[in-house]
Amino acid sequence: MRAGLIGAGFIALMLAFGPAHAQRVEGDAISAAGPYAAEVPVNNQTVAQRNNGMARALLKVLTNVTGDSNPIAREGVAEALRNASSYVSGYDYRQDEGTSSTGAPTFKTMLVVRFNESKVSELVNHSGLPVWPTPRPKPVLWMAIDDGSGPRLVGLPQVNAARPVLDRAKARGYRLGLPAGNAAEQAVAGAIWRGDTAAVARASQAYQPPMQLIGKVYRSGAGWKADWTFVDKGRVLARTSAVDGDARRAMAKGADIAGEALLRKYARGGRPAKKPDPAAAKPTEFVLTVSGIESGDRYRALINAIESKPGVKSLFPLSADGNSLTLEVGMVGGQEAFDSAVVELQRIDTDTTDEGMTGASYRLK
């Protein structure tokens, strides 16, 4: 039921052009600084949007501080997210201006939240999450992409092509570096394709630390495949592959394999998450109606946003009316977990369906 495939044209475009930057039209000095601050987009400055944004920001901070990919599964974290404002030491708004694909100006409101370090540390200790000390290593990302015209190395000039894996690493609490991508380094694409990790490690000797996240991304059937290897001091610590209709999601998997390897090496303390109660892990079904679906692209964005969230077990369209779509969703944790996970939707109101299941109305952002 996956909707939409990212085409070879996107990869070619990202390899060809450098980064694009949104212009900040006010609050240039306002940004999230340090591990205990985060910024998230909000629709407006109402209390409801602010509280929702603070919950999302706290989840980002917990992931950043601990490196845990799913901190909400830990004891007490879901409750803390519902009361995220009690962990806040201050917040600001920033307005970002950009340009749409049609050339029209766009505006995005960002909520920048600073959290109380001691309160967050208490939550981390209580929940049994690990602590990932700083400073953290910054492995070098050696990634080659073949969009049908042969493998090419992604270096600094093509940073946008690597944005999905770079952003995912930041969300996991660490950063990846890119090689300069000069003519000599372009030859490393061949070593990546052969799986010659020793040759990649030799080429990486000019960079520190001696860790490499090596990936090759290529067409596979109607979608994309990414093969990932994480190497530390010449030793292969982890391998994985990801297949997806969207190359960006296949890329992002690389940051997870590196993040888990780094956590095993550097994280201190923490305890395993409690094994879930089998009964509690059963999905709860609920009905939702989403408006603002004016095009096929918006429909695909909605389906991808829901399907990609952990815990979603089923998704069935029930009816369509104009630019609105009614769906039945089965998700572990029910509608409360859905509201915390699917930030692409703005919740409007709640009611009960004729069948007695909880329902709600949303608008696609």
Side-chain angles (χ1 to χ4, degrees):
M1 193 159 50
R2 295 284 181 192
L5 300 178
I6 182 170
F10 170 83
I11 294 294
L13 185 66
M14 292 298 98
L15 284 169
F17 292 97
H21 301 284
Q23 177 186 359
R24 292 175 181 168
V25 296
E26 67 179 43
D28 279 354
I30 301 172
S31 61
Y36 294 90
E39 53 188 64
V40 294
V42 291
N43 289 337
N44 51 55
Q45 297 185 20
T46 61
V47 173
Q49 277 287 295
R50 184 166 66 245
N51 287 339
N52 179 276
M54 286 177 174
R56 288 183 280 128
L58 179 56
L59 190 59
K60 289 180 70 172
V61 164
L62 288 173
T63 301
N64 182 40
V65 169
T66 68
D68 193 288
S69 61
N70 189 29
I72 197 171
R74 299 289 184 142
E75 179 183 355
V77 172
E79 181 181 355
L81 295 179
R82 290 192 289 270
N83 299 284
S85 60
S86 64
Y87 292 84
V88 173
S89 61
Y91 67 90
D92 292 289
Y93 290 96
R94 187 184 74 238
Q95 189 81 7
D96 289 351
E97 180 182 349
T99 305
S100 71
S101 58
T102 63
T106 61
F107 300 92
K108 180 188 293 184
T109 301
M110 301 297 295
L111 174 64
V112 182
V113 190
R114 299 174 297 279
F115 291 95
N116 183 294
E117 182 176 345
S118 62
K119 287 187 175 181
V120 172
S121 297
E122 270 184 43
L123 174 60
V124 168
N125 292 334
H126 174 73
S127 64
L129 285 160
V131 176
W132 192 355
T134 56
R136 295 168 185 171
K138 186 179 180 181
V140 182
L141 172 63
W142 292 89
M143 182 172 70
I145 299 176
D146 185 356
D147 58 3
S149 55
R152 287 176 286 173
L153 182 72
V154 178
L156 283 173
Q158 300 84 29
V159 63
N160 267 352
R163 186 60 59 196
V165 63
L166 297 176
D167 287 348
R168 179 60 180 162
K170 287 171 63 178
R172 291 294 305 268
Y174 74 102
R175 292 178 181 269
L176 291 165
L178 283 172
N182 53 43
E185 289 180 341
Q186 285 296 325
V188 179
I192 294 173
W193 228 252
R194 297 191 305 272
D196 189 347
T197 58
V200 176
R202 287 194 297 272
S204 196
Q205 287 177 351
Y207 305 99
Q208 291 295 328
M211 296 178 177
Q212 300 89 41
L213 175 60
I214 304 169
K216 66 176 187 178
V217 182
Y218 52 97
R219 281 287 191 180
S220 177
W224 293 83
K225 185 174 182 181
D227 297 328
W228 291 102
T229 305
F230 185 71
V231 180
D232 182 9
K233 296 180 181 177
R235 180 185 172 198
V236 174
L237 297 187
R239 295 183 192 271
T240 193
S241 294
V243 179
D244 203 292
D246 190 322
R248 290 166 292 193
R249 287 195 292 266
M251 285 185 195
K253 184 69 175 178
D256 288 326
I257 185 178
E260 294 301 324
L262 291 170
L263 274 178
R264 288 192 294 270
K265 183 169 182 176
Y266 293 104
R268 299 290 179 265
R271 58 180 182 270
K274 291 183 178 179
K275 291 185 178 179
D277 181 347
K282 292 181 180 178
T284 299
E285 294 180 344
F286 53 93
V287 173
L288 58 91
T289 299
V290 184
S291 60
I293 309 173
E294 296 95 356
S295 66
D297 287 343
R298 298 275 282 176
Y299 170 79
R300 287 189 289 271
L302 169 66
I303 298 301
N304 284 337
I306 296 175
E307 283 191 322
S308 65
K309 301 306 184 244
V312 172
K313 303 300 182 183
S314 62
L315 176 61
F316 300 103
L318 298 178
S319 63
D321 181 14
N323 68 348
S324 296
L325 179 67
T326 299
L327 305 164
E328 181 183 295
V329 178
M331 183 171 183
V332 175
Q335 196 147 5
E336 185 175 325
F338 180 85
D339 283 338
S340 298
V342 187
V343 299
E344 295 86 350
L345 301 180
Q346 176 189 1
R347 185 157 178 172
I348 300 172
D349 54 41
T350 306
D351 57 19
T352 302
T353 69
D354 293 338
E355 291 79 15
M357 290 190 293
T358 301
S361 295
Y362 299 83
R363 183 169 182 82
L364 185 61
K365 294 180 181 177

